[in-house]
């Protein structure tokens, strides 16, 4: 029998969800009001090549690099990355992180891939929409009362039992594929432009 655990450079156990912690010679803190992850240490880049404006927007005068991540801190030195700040959806004054909704939906056996984007809303400013690639074939680990196939309303009901009401997507779109770069990175801006969907399924 074997076992594995995450440890820091001082061989202390790290929570499995932790992105890491601070150690000698490096600094990390959360900027307010939104808990933004910023870093300062000898290995942080000096700036973007021939792009002083991008450098100015990323590294402040004190030398802190603004990673663009939203993170939390447990008070013990461990940082937990929640999502990218630019992907955060503000609906009716509430902050929604797409990654949280995606973690819920990917747990449904009928979902192979999922991405959450924003769409404008005349009342709430913007709302979350889910873009789902259905599972290619039935899975054996179906949940009680649920088959391997699901319609949009079933997925929304699934979310309602696991998320706060304001985090439940306004609509679900079934798509053949998610827009990605050549390296496989999700192009979430194309979700926002509606390039991955037609009319919502629910």
């Amino acid at each position: 029998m074997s076992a594995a655990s995450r440890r820091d450079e001082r061989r202390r156990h790290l929570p499995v969800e932790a992105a890491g912690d601070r150690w000698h010679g490096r600094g990390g803190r959360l900027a307010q009001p939104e808990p933004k992850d910023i870093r300062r240490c000898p290995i942080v880049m000096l700036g973007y090549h021939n792009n002083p404006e991008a450098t100015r927007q990323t590294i402040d005068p004190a030398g802190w690099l603004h990673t663009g991540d939203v993170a939390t801190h447990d008070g013990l030195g461990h940082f937990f990355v929640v999502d990218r700040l630019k992907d955060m959806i503000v609906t009716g004054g509430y902050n929604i992180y797409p990654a949280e909704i995606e973690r819920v939906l990917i747990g449904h056996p009928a979902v192979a891939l999922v991405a959450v984007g924003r769409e404008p809303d005349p009342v709430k400013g913007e709302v979350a929409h889910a873009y789902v690639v259905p599972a290619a074939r039935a899975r054996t680990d179906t949940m009680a009362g649920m088959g391997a196939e699901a319609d949009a309303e079933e997925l929304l009901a699934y979310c309602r039992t696991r998320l706060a009401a304001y985090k439940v997507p306004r609509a679900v779109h079934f798509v053949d594929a998610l827009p990605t770069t050549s390296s496989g990175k999700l192009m979430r801006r194309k979700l926002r432009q509606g390039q991955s969907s037609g009319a919502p399924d629910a």
Side-chain angles (χ1 to χ4, degrees), residues 25 28 41 79 101 113 152-153 155 169 176:
C41 67
F79 289 85
I101 302 173
L113 295 171
E153 185 52 45
L155 294 181
D176 294 328

Side-chain angles (χ1 to χ4, degrees), residues 165-189:
Y166 71 90
K167 297 179 181 180
V168 175
R170 173 66 59 85
V172 172
H173 307 258
F174 289 112
V175 297
D176 294 328
L178 299 176
T180 60
T181 65
S182 58
S183 62
K185 183 178 180 180
L186 176 67
M187 300 174 70
R188 202 179 294 274
R189 60 183 174 80

